[in-house]
Short mmCIF file of all heavy atoms in Angstrom, two decimals:
data_model
loop_
_atom_site.label_atom_id
_atom_site.label_comp_id
_atom_site.label_asym_id
_atom_site.label_seq_id
_atom_site.Cartn_x
_atom_site.Cartn_y
_atom_site.Cartn_z
N LEU A 332 -9.13 323.42 91.51
CA LEU A 332 -10.04 324.13 92.41
C LEU A 332 -9.43 324.26 93.80
O LEU A 332 -9.57 325.30 94.46
CB LEU A 332 -11.38 323.40 92.49
CG LEU A 332 -12.24 323.39 91.21
CD1 LEU A 332 -13.54 322.63 91.45
CD2 LEU A 332 -12.54 324.81 90.73
N SER A 333 -8.71 323.23 94.24
CA SER A 333 -8.09 323.29 95.57
C SER A 333 -6.94 324.29 95.60
O SER A 333 -6.58 324.80 96.66
CB SER A 333 -7.58 321.90 95.98
OG SER A 333 -6.44 321.52 95.23
N TYR A 334 -6.36 324.58 94.44
CA TYR A 334 -5.30 325.59 94.36
C TYR A 334 -5.88 327.00 94.47
O TYR A 334 -5.13 327.97 94.65
CB TYR A 334 -4.58 325.51 93.01
CG TYR A 334 -3.65 324.34 92.82
CD1 TYR A 334 -3.70 323.20 93.60
CD2 TYR A 334 -2.68 324.38 91.82
CE1 TYR A 334 -2.86 322.14 93.39
CE2 TYR A 334 -1.82 323.32 91.61
CZ TYR A 334 -1.92 322.19 92.39
OH TYR A 334 -1.05 321.14 92.18
N GLY A 335 -7.19 327.12 94.29
CA GLY A 335 -7.84 328.43 94.33
C GLY A 335 -8.26 328.96 92.97
O GLY A 335 -8.76 330.09 92.87
N TYR A 336 -8.11 328.16 91.92
CA TYR A 336 -8.56 328.58 90.60
C TYR A 336 -10.08 328.59 90.53
O TYR A 336 -10.75 327.77 91.18
CB TYR A 336 -8.02 327.65 89.52
CG TYR A 336 -6.57 327.85 89.17
CD1 TYR A 336 -5.59 327.00 89.70
CD2 TYR A 336 -6.17 328.87 88.33
CE1 TYR A 336 -4.25 327.18 89.38
CE2 TYR A 336 -4.83 329.06 88.01
CZ TYR A 336 -3.88 328.21 88.54
OH TYR A 336 -2.55 328.38 88.23
N SER A 337 -10.63 329.50 89.73
CA SER A 337 -12.07 329.52 89.48
C SER A 337 -12.43 328.33 88.60
O SER A 337 -11.56 327.74 87.92
CB SER A 337 -12.47 330.81 88.77
OG SER A 337 -11.89 330.86 87.47
N GLU A 338 -13.70 327.95 88.58
CA GLU A 338 -14.15 326.86 87.72
C GLU A 338 -13.87 327.18 86.26
O GLU A 338 -13.44 326.32 85.48
CB GLU A 338 -15.64 326.60 87.91
CG GLU A 338 -15.99 325.96 89.24
CD GLU A 338 -17.41 325.43 89.27
OE1 GLU A 338 -18.07 325.43 88.21
OE2 GLU A 338 -17.85 325.02 90.36
N GLU A 339 -14.09 328.44 85.88
CA GLU A 339 -13.88 328.85 84.49
C GLU A 339 -12.42 328.67 84.08
O GLU A 339 -12.13 328.16 82.98
CB GLU A 339 -14.32 330.31 84.32
CG GLU A 339 -14.28 330.84 82.88
CD GLU A 339 -12.93 331.45 82.53
OE1 GLU A 339 -12.22 331.89 83.45
OE2 GLU A 339 -12.59 331.47 81.33
N LYS A 340 -11.50 329.04 84.95
CA LYS A 340 -10.08 328.90 84.64
C LYS A 340 -9.67 327.42 84.64
O LYS A 340 -8.88 326.98 83.80
CB LYS A 340 -9.23 329.68 85.63
CG LYS A 340 -8.50 330.86 85.00
CD LYS A 340 -7.47 331.45 85.93
CE LYS A 340 -6.64 332.47 85.15
NZ LYS A 340 -5.58 333.07 86.00
N ALA A 341 -10.19 326.68 85.61
CA ALA A 341 -9.84 325.26 85.70
C ALA A 341 -10.26 324.50 84.45
O ALA A 341 -9.61 323.54 84.05
CB ALA A 341 -10.47 324.65 86.94
N LEU A 342 -11.34 324.94 83.83
CA LEU A 342 -11.83 324.28 82.61
C LEU A 342 -11.01 324.65 81.38
O LEU A 342 -11.24 324.11 80.30
CB LEU A 342 -13.30 324.62 82.38
CG LEU A 342 -14.29 323.94 83.32
CD1 LEU A 342 -15.68 324.56 83.19
CD2 LEU A 342 -14.35 322.44 83.05
N ARG A 343 -10.04 325.53 81.56
CA ARG A 343 -9.16 325.90 80.44
C ARG A 343 -7.78 325.27 80.55
O ARG A 343 -6.88 325.61 79.79
CB ARG A 343 -9.04 327.43 80.35
CG ARG A 343 -10.31 328.12 79.89
CD ARG A 343 -10.05 329.57 79.47
NE ARG A 343 -10.22 330.51 80.57
CZ ARG A 343 -9.26 331.26 81.07
NH1 ARG A 343 -8.03 331.18 80.59
NH2 ARG A 343 -9.50 332.09 82.06
N ALA A 344 -7.59 324.35 81.49
CA ALA A 344 -6.28 323.76 81.73
C ALA A 344 -6.06 322.54 80.84
O ALA A 344 -6.89 321.62 80.81
CB ALA A 344 -6.14 323.36 83.20
N VAL A 345 -4.94 322.53 80.14
CA VAL A 345 -4.56 321.42 79.27
C VAL A 345 -3.24 320.86 79.78
O VAL A 345 -2.31 321.60 80.07
CB VAL A 345 -4.39 321.88 77.80
CG1 VAL A 345 -3.96 320.72 76.91
CG2 VAL A 345 -5.70 322.49 77.29
N ARG A 346 -3.17 319.52 79.88
CA ARG A 346 -1.95 318.86 80.36
C ARG A 346 -1.16 318.29 79.19
O ARG A 346 -1.67 317.51 78.39
CB ARG A 346 -2.30 317.73 81.33
CG ARG A 346 -1.08 317.04 81.93
CD ARG A 346 -1.47 315.88 82.82
NE ARG A 346 -2.03 314.77 82.06
CZ ARG A 346 -2.54 313.67 82.59
NH1 ARG A 346 -2.56 313.54 83.91
NH2 ARG A 346 -3.04 312.71 81.84
N PHE A 347 0.11 318.68 79.13
CA PHE A 347 1.06 318.12 78.18
C PHE A 347 2.05 317.28 78.99
O PHE A 347 2.70 317.79 79.90
CB PHE A 347 1.81 319.23 77.45
CG PHE A 347 0.92 320.16 76.65
CD1 PHE A 347 0.27 321.21 77.28
CD2 PHE A 347 0.75 319.97 75.29
CE1 PHE A 347 -0.56 322.07 76.55
CE2 PHE A 347 -0.07 320.83 74.56
CZ PHE A 347 -0.72 321.87 75.19
N SER A 348 2.15 316.01 78.68
CA SER A 348 3.08 315.15 79.44
C SER A 348 3.98 314.39 78.49
O SER A 348 3.52 313.78 77.53
CB SER A 348 2.31 314.20 80.37
OG SER A 348 1.28 313.50 79.69
N PHE A 349 5.26 314.46 78.78
CA PHE A 349 6.29 314.00 77.85
C PHE A 349 6.87 312.65 78.27
O PHE A 349 6.95 312.33 79.46
CB PHE A 349 7.39 315.05 77.75
CG PHE A 349 6.86 316.42 77.44
CD1 PHE A 349 6.76 317.40 78.43
CD2 PHE A 349 6.39 316.73 76.18
CE1 PHE A 349 6.24 318.65 78.16
CE2 PHE A 349 5.87 317.98 75.89
CZ PHE A 349 5.79 318.94 76.88
#
Side-chain angles (χ1 to χ4, degrees):
L332 292 180
S333 72
Y334 287 19
Y336 283 100
S337 65
E338 289 193 8
E339 185 270 336
K340 247 191 171 181
L342 286 169
R343 290 195 269 116
V345 179
R346 183 183 69 185
F347 300 82
S348 50
F349 308 104

